[in-house]
Amino acid sequence: MTAQVTVGLDGSQESFAAAGWAGREAVRREVPLRLIHVEEWPSTPEVPTAYARTSADQAEGILRDAVERARKEHPDLEVVTEQTRGLAAEELAAAANEADLLVLGSRGLGGILGYVIGSVSLAVAGAAHRPVVLVRAETERVHPPHSGIVVGVDIYHPCEPLLSFAFEEAARSGLPLCFLHSWTLPASYGYAAMVDPEIGAELGSEVTARLDDLLKPWRKTYPGVEVVAKAVVGSGAFQLVEASRSAELVIVGRRGRKVPVGPHLGHVAHAVIHHSPAPVAVVPLV
């Protein structure tokens, strides 16, 4: 692995927004910015020479524009470029595994083609062994961010890589952290919970205490980071999407699972990637 922030470019508004976000992140991390363009190479080798030349010229133009923007915003930032051919998802996943962080553009559900299973960004986020950040076009943001970094956390499963990434990001950026864990009353409590609301309050206090215990050692390690922890009732996906509307960054975890075809993202991460207007960092947990 090389100490660098890598961004995949395809010439879209979303990918240039990703390059802007990645440049600021590279400056904070004090590492080079690597710009990569993958030409989706056909399976058949019989490609007209004129097509290959035009495609290469377009790639050079995209990279040149991105380099100019990055150096204009960050004159002292080291910027390197790379052109490659192959299956975009595979090439970018490999690039992610070689870097501290990979940043890609995300069209969300509002895009012309939608942001569906099988798209390059989603496939990479589900397969990479390193964190991947997905960034929307700047024009897609309705409300300016003001609430810092939002992190979805599961207190019942190990999530050290997620916590480490979140606290390090907050320490570098100076932004506050808000950890959200969602919970619901077990169905077995049904009628009893309606008769005695204290039952729900007691369980909520227990969940909050477990969340605080999980974060306690990290708070000691990063005393300068402002931390808020909330145990909220309801759907985790809904709560994170709502919180994302005012967030600078949303961080979610991804657990490795064996599925018959392709990579797998949990339903919470999937929903946040689809609907969050804020950049979304997907952190592999294994």
Side-chain angles (χ1 to χ4, degrees), residues 111-206:
I112 296 175
L113 299 178
Y115 192 54
V116 296
I117 293 175
S119 69
V120 171
S121 295
L122 196 61
V124 175
H129 299 153
R130 300 288 299 166
V132 175
V133 176
L134 306 178
V135 180
R136 297 284 184 88
E138 295 176 359
T139 55
E140 292 187 33
R141 189 104 203 206
V142 177
H143 304 292
H146 62 268
S147 63
I149 300 173
V150 174
V151 188
V153 62
D154 182 353
I155 63 175
Y156 300 110
H157 296 90
C159 56
E160 278 69 22
L162 176 76
L163 298 176
S164 177
F165 183 86
F167 274 92
E168 288 175 4
E169 282 296 303
R172 275 191 293 264
S173 65
L175 294 171
L177 281 174
C178 178
F179 288 92
L180 293 181
H181 171 80
S182 66
W183 67 282
T184 55
L185 277 173
S188 57
Y189 279 77
Y191 182 72
M194 289 187 290
V195 173
D196 184 4
E198 290 298 320
I199 293 177
E202 181 179 345
L203 287 176
S205 297
E206 293 177 2

Side-chain angles (χ1 to χ4, degrees), residues 9-92:
L9 288 165
D10 61 8
S12 65
Q13 286 186 338
E14 294 80 10
S15 72
F16 281 118
W21 192 95
R24 293 187 290 273
E25 184 68 16
V27 170
R28 280 196 290 262
R29 291 171 177 249
E30 299 181 340
V31 298
L33 175 66
R34 176 190 180 198
L35 305 174
I36 182 170
H37 178 278
V38 180
E39 181 183 351
E40 191 81 29
W41 195 243
S43 57
T44 173
E46 289 81 16
V47 178
T49 303
Y51 168 84
R53 185 181 300 113
T54 300
S55 181
D57 291 343
Q58 289 176 344
E60 289 178 3
I62 291 169
L63 290 171
R64 183 170 56 251
D65 289 347
V67 169
E68 290 176 357
R69 295 187 190 194
R71 288 179 175 158
K72 183 177 181 179
E73 292 184 13
H74 314 288
D76 297 327
L77 176 64
E78 180 184 349
V79 183
V80 297
T81 64
E82 179 181 343
Q83 292 178 242
T84 186
R85 292 175 177 174
L87 298 177
E90 292 182 2
E91 294 293 328
L92 290 170

